[in-house]
């Protein structure tokens, strides 16, 4: 009885899903007011006046009608945005998603017990895999703690998409298939897929009702590794997942048409808990320089990662690790959570397995051998060549700024996330001589199936501060005053966005209602200032706080002349990863990061009263 009582009062991971509030529709007047504020830094007086007129006309005309239709839609859905967002942001996108949409990053175990060391790949791999599988079991049992802000629970739905989830290409729109089930819901796949040298293997991780131990996992990985390193490479079917989406959909249909077994093999990969990638490369990494491993996690060997899989766990030859994830089913905080869990357990066990070395009599991994023809082989060759060309154009730098971190900024009463965002604004202004329209991810997980909202960091207050920093005639006192005004503005906007009072997703909803009704695109969305200020996915700075834990990630820029800028915050350091396209002559990720680090110092100096 006592045990039953304990079980019934223990919180379950997904228990609050049905009681979370619905995603609200903001007020039209407020959204348009915020939109007008956000375009101000990118307009001269004449341009702003014209946009102001367009906005007023929209508000008093078609905008109000569209808003009413959106309110009607919201009445029948707990999240009016969910389906639209998934389709518009991810599933309808036709460009290759493995490079352009996926997020990737290094595991930080190299900072302590697992520095780069050849010959450790398989043993360490069995341990990191085991910790990941333990997390999967916690999710199955709903024992992953509910995320909360104070006592308010946040939406946990995205955690259902971490394991046994895969995107499947379609001719015009992709789909997401999730095979994950909690123990309460029933059976769930319990096999993983291992990709090595163009070949694919699968094996169950549960044997006779028990999770395999690291020594048992090591035996399976060693078998695969030896086999692949003593026999010819496989065809590299996985490379097809890096293709343009419609191209991949057609190639997949052809592959299935060749042999029904090919469909069964694809299903096994799609439903696998995760894809474990065995890479042959050995990226350089130090606790101060993550550049090469971060790049390799995102743009490594395309034949050993399944681009559509929600979770590719990547092992490199020198015993360092990373991950690459499809962005459609979940946002980075899910991966941050599992990565931190694994990191803490590796630390606690000093990077070792301290249990029994006994290995049960377990069936060997099964190889998935695809039936291929000349067309499939040509498709793979073409996919690899295209991917290599695009991947070689990506510049990625990732460094740790170690002079100070959260401790000092908090001591100065400066929010550490806002601190980095404003430093980036100043760095961009110094490098390019103009304000940079900026997307920062805000989370809306207070609401049912809430994901993200756009927080526009390039405010008028931020620009005025940047201008003062570049003007020698401005006093330190005035610079400090302007900086604090920029902080206040940023903090308020972020708070509004998280509370469902952002405007970008609202405007998207109004645009999609117009399209669904067969109406012409309203002038607000064709106005040059709409895209110049970042609207329609045109932000030159695409940024996100990865978190306050030892986890880092990166995504490519949103536009060709832009940057991807991702960072995490620790007590004693800020770690930043920045991406740019080498083929764009005006962008340079290295320079932007160095200027951001310089801005960190300048900002701290401004808060020091000795300088005033």
């Amino acid at each position: 009885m006592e045990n039953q009582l304990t079980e019934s009062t223990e919180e379950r991971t997904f228990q609050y899903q049905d009681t979370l509030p619905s995603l609200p529709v903001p007020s039209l007047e407020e959204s348009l007011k915020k939109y007008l504020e956000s375009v101000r830094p990118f307009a001269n007086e004449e341009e702003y006046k014209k946009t102001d007129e367009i906005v007023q006309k929209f508000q008093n005309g078609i905008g109000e009608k569209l808003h009413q239709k959106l309110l009607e839609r919201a009445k029948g859905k707990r999240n009016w945005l969910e389906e639209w967002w998934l389709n518009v942001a991810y599933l309808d996108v036709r460009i290759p998603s493995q490079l352009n949409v996926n997020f990737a990053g290094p595991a930080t175990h190299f900072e302590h017990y697992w520095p780069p060391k050849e010959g450790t790949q398989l043993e360490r791999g069995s341990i990191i895999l085991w910790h990941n599988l333990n997390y999967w079991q916690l999710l199955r049992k709903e024992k992953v703690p509910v995320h909360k802000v104070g006592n308010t629970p946040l939406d946990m739905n995205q955690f259902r998409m971490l394991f046994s989830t895969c995107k499947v290409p379609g001719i015009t729109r992709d789909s997401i298939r999730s095979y994950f089930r909690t123990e309460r819901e029933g059976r769930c796949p319990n096999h993983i897929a291992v990709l090595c040298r163009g070949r694919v293997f699968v094996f169950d991780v549960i044997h006779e009702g028990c999770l395999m131990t690291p020594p048992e996992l090591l035996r399976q990985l060693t078998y695969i590794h030896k086999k692949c390193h003593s026999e010819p490479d496989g065809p590299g079917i996985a490379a097809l997942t890096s293709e343009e989406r419609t191209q991949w959909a057609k190639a997949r249909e052809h592959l299935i048409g060749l042999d029904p077994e090919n469909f069964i093999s694809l299903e096994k990969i799609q439903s696998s808990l995760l894809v474990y990638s065995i890479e042959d490369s050995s990226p350089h990494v130090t606790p101060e320089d993550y550049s090469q491993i971060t790049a390799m996690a995102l743009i490594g060997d395309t034949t050993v990662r399944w681009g559509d899989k929600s979770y590719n766990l990547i092992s490199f030859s020198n015993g360092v690790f990373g991950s690459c994830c499809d962005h459609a089913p979940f946002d980075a905080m899910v991966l941050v959570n599992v990565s931190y869990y694994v990191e803490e357990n590796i630390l606690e066990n000093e990077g070792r397995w301290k249990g029994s070395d006994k290995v049960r009599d377990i069936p060997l991994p099964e190889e998935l051998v695809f039936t291929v023809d000349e067309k499939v082989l040509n498709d793979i060759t073409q996919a690899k060549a295209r991917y290599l060309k695009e991947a070689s154009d990506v510049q990625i730098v990732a460094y740790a700024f170690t002079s100070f971190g959260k401790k000092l900024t908090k001591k100065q009463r400066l929010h550490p996330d806002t601190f980095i965002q404003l430093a980036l604004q100043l760095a961009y202004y110094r490098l390019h001589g103009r304000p940079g329209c900026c997307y920062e991810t805000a989370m809306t997980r207070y609401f049912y199936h809430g994901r993200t909202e756009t927080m526009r960091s390039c405010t008028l207050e931020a620009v005025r501060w940047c201008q003062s920093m570049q003007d020698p005639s401005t006093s330190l006192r005035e610079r400090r005053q302007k900086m604090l005004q920029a902080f206040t503005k940023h903090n308020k906007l972020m708070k509004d966005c998280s509370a469902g009072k952002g405007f970008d997703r609202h405007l998207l909803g109004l645009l999609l209602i117009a399209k669904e009704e067969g109406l012409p695109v309203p002038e607000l969305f064709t106005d040059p200032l709409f895209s110049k200020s970042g609207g329609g996915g045109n932000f030159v700075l695409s940024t996100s706080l990865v978190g306050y834990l030892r986890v880092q990630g990166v995504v490519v820029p949103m536009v060709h002349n832009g940057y991807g800028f991702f960072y995490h915050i620790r007590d004693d350091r800020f770690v930043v990863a920045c991406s740019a396209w080498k083929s764009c002559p005006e962008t340079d990720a290295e320079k932007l990061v160095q200027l951001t680090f310089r801005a960190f110092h300048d900002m701290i100096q401004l808060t020091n009263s000795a300088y005033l």
Side-chain angles (χ1 to χ4, degrees):
M1 182 66 189
E2 199 176 321
N3 285 347
Q4 284 179 339
L5 194 68
T6 310
E7 272 184 36
S8 63
T9 56
E10 197 176 85
E11 279 189 337
R12 299 190 318 277
T13 307
F14 305 112
Q15 83 174 57
Y16 296 110
Q17 291 303 116
D18 292 338
T19 57
L20 290 167
S22 298
L23 184 72
V25 177
S27 115
L28 181 63
E29 188 184 348
E30 277 298 305
S31 286
L32 293 175
K33 186 181 159 195
K34 285 173 181 170
Y35 169 66
L36 269 176
E37 272 186 16
S38 78
V39 304
R40 199 76 184 86
F42 309 99
N44 59 34
E45 285 305 320
E46 196 181 319
E47 288 168 332
Y48 182 74
K49 192 182 169 196
K50 191 183 174 210
T51 296
D52 189 15
E53 285 166 8
I54 290 169
V55 167
Q56 300 318 321
K57 185 179 155 195
F58 179 79
Q59 187 175 334
N60 300 322
I62 188 67
E64 182 54 40
K65 291 183 181 127
L66 296 173
H67 182 67
Q68 289 308 317
K69 286 186 184 292
L70 184 57
L71 289 171
E72 278 302 310
R73 174 189 169 92
K75 278 180 191 170
K77 295 177 183 286
R78 291 188 64 194
N79 188 316
W80 57 267
L81 176 67
E82 182 178 16
E83 187 187 342
W84 273 346
W85 180 249
L86 199 55
N87 291 337
V88 172
Y90 301 110
L91 304 182
D92 292 343
V93 175
R94 298 292 88 198
I95 58 171
S97 59
Q98 184 169 329
L99 184 63
N100 295 290
V101 179
N102 286 24
F103 58 84
T108 49
H109 321 307
F110 63 82
E111 290 188 25
H112 43 83
Y113 291 109
W114 289 357
K117 188 183 177 187
E118 293 297 335
T120 61
Q121 181 181 23
L122 299 177
E123 189 183 346
R124 288 177 180 179
S126 68
I127 293 170
I128 195 173
L129 189 51
W130 185 73
H131 288 306
N132 273 279
L133 296 173
N134 276 306
Y135 189 89
W136 165 69
Q137 287 198 319
L138 288 176
L139 261 187
R140 288 261 293 140
K141 295 176 196 297
E142 291 194 70
K143 288 189 173 179
V144 170
V146 179
H147 290 187
K148 293 182 179 181
V149 174
N151 291 321
T152 307
L154 301 179
D155 186 275
M156 296 294 286
N157 182 60
Q158 293 178 53
F159 284 81
R160 301 181 64 91
M161 305 291 172
L162 175 61
F163 297 107
S164 296
T165 301
C166 196
K167 189 165 65 186
V168 176
I171 300 297
T172 57
R173 172 181 287 171
D174 298 343
S175 57
I176 291 174
R177 294 200 191 152
S178 182
Y179 306 77
F180 176 81
R181 300 287 179 272
T182 64
E183 284 186 354
R184 286 166 172 259
E185 293 165 345
R187 289 176 63 80
C188 175
N190 61 18
H191 65 280
I192 66 166
V194 180
L195 272 57
C196 182
R197 294 202 167 182
R199 295 165 75 173
V200 185
F201 298 81
V202 291
F203 64 87
D204 286 351
V205 295
I206 302 285
H207 182 66
E208 294 173 349
C210 293
L211 183 64
M212 282 189 189
T213 62
E216 290 168 342
L217 292 167
L218 176 60
R219 177 197 171 227
Q220 304 294 69
L221 296 178
T222 304
Y223 169 82
I224 293 167
H225 190 267
K226 275 186 179 167
K227 198 169 174 59
C228 292
H229 283 71
S230 61
E231 296 171 7
D233 289 0
I237 294 288
L240 295 172
T241 66
S242 70
E243 257 293 10
E244 187 272 342
R245 302 308 297 168
T246 301
Q247 189 78 23
W248 164 215
K250 288 175 180 173
R252 186 176 181 275
E253 282 180 2
H254 176 77
L255 194 61
I256 291 166
L258 282 179
D259 186 342
E261 283 296 317
N262 285 348
F263 176 75
I264 293 166
S265 294
L266 287 168
E267 272 284 315
K268 283 181 180 174
I269 297 168
Q270 286 164 197
S271 61
S272 63
L273 298 186
L274 53 80
V275 164
Y276 186 82
S277 306
I278 299 178
E279 282 257 14
D280 286 336
S281 58
S282 296
H284 170 77
V285 63
T286 70
E288 284 74 42
D289 185 354
Y290 297 58
S291 302
Q292 203 174 21
I293 189 174
T294 304
M296 289 301 294
L298 185 66
I299 57 175
D301 183 355
T302 184
T303 67
V304 296
R305 56 197 62 186
W306 202 262
D308 294 343
K309 200 78 177 109
S310 58
Y311 190 6
N312 290 269
L313 177 58
I314 305 160
S315 75
F316 294 99
S317 180
N318 56 347
V320 294
F321 297 85
S323 55
C324 183
C325 304
D326 175 35
H327 207 328
F330 60 78
D331 300 312
M333 62 85 199
V334 175
L335 196 80
V336 168
N337 206 258
V338 65
S339 301
Y340 184 67
Y341 169 86
V342 171
E343 167 83 348
E344 287 295 283
N345 278 280
I346 287 173
L347 273 170
E348 193 182 317
N349 293 286
E350 299 163 333
R352 291 181 290 135
W353 164 246
K354 295 178 177 180
S356 167
D357 287 337
K358 185 172 178 274
V359 175
R360 291 170 290 172
D361 186 19
I362 290 168
L364 290 169
E366 171 202 357
E367 182 166 12
L368 304 181
V369 180
F370 285 87
T371 300
V372 298
D373 63 3
E374 207 57 44
K375 183 190 181 315
V376 173
L377 294 174
N378 285 338
D379 285 346
I380 291 168
T381 303
Q382 184 180 304
K384 281 157 80 171
R386 278 190 190 171
Y387 182 79
L388 199 63
K389 187 183 176 188
E390 200 176 352
S392 63
D393 189 32
V394 182
Q395 177 197 16
I396 291 175
V397 296
Y399 300 127
F401 173 85
T402 56
S403 302
F404 56 84
K406 182 178 73 173
K407 223 178 214 174
L408 183 59
T409 57
K410 294 278 269 189
K411 189 181 169 189
Q412 303 287 0
R413 296 183 183 174
L414 302 172
H415 193 294
D417 176 57
T418 313
F419 184 87
I420 293 178
Q421 284 289 330
L422 290 176
L424 174 61
Q425 282 297 316
L426 181 55
Y428 185 91
Y429 194 89
R430 283 170 167 168
L431 185 56
H432 295 284
R434 60 178 185 272
C437 56
C438 181
Y439 167 107
E440 181 184 4
T441 308
M443 72 92 183
T444 53
R445 290 174 59 213
Y446 287 109
F447 306 102
Y448 178 77
H449 287 193
R451 287 189 63 169
T452 60
E453 174 60 273
T454 300
M455 152 66 204
R456 297 196 181 196
S457 305
C458 188
T459 60
L460 199 54
E461 288 82 355
V463 174
R464 283 173 181 153
W465 170 63
C466 291
Q467 288 166 342
S468 77
M469 292 296 286
Q470 294 302 91
D471 180 359
S473 67
T474 310
S475 69
L476 289 174
R477 186 178 295 277
E478 196 180 333
R479 286 177 181 176
R480 181 175 187 269
Q481 192 181 3
K482 282 182 164 35
M483 181 180 82
L484 295 178
Q485 285 166 355
F487 264 90
T488 303
K489 180 67 172 185
H490 187 104
N491 294 344
K492 184 186 183 307
L493 286 178
M494 181 55 87
K495 195 176 174 186
D496 282 353
C497 285
S498 296
K501 294 176 185 172
F503 66 85
D504 271 273
R505 303 289 187 266
H506 186 190
L507 292 184
L508 173 67
L510 300 176
L511 174 62
L512 293 176
I513 288 274
K515 285 185 176 176
E516 284 186 5
E517 297 281 324
L519 298 168
V521 173
E523 194 183 357
L524 182 136
F525 302 101
T526 57
D527 173 24
L529 260 190
F530 180 73
S531 54
K532 195 177 175 184
S533 63
N538 287 291
F539 293 97
V540 295
L541 291 168
S542 171
T543 76
S544 192
L545 164 65
V546 183
Y548 294 86
L549 308 170
R550 294 180 298 272
V551 184
Q552 185 56 40
V554 74
V555 177
V556 297
M558 207 179 270
V559 290
H560 188 249
N561 64 332
Y563 300 91
F565 192 92
F566 303 85
Y567 51 93
H568 77 263
I569 292 166
R570 301 191 208 174
D571 283 347
D572 65 339
R573 67 186 57 202
F574 302 127
V575 180
V576 167
C578 184
S579 62
W581 296 107
K582 293 175 188 171
S583 56
C584 177
E586 64 178 275
T587 55
D588 187 330
E590 177 80 36
K591 280 184 183 171
L592 188 70
V593 170
Q594 296 308 332
L595 283 169
T596 303
F597 288 179
R598 180 184 143 198
F600 291 161
H601 286 295
D602 291 347
M603 290 167 75
I604 281 296
Q605 282 188 357
L606 278 184
T607 63
N608 188 334
S609 57
Y611 287 81
L612 298 177

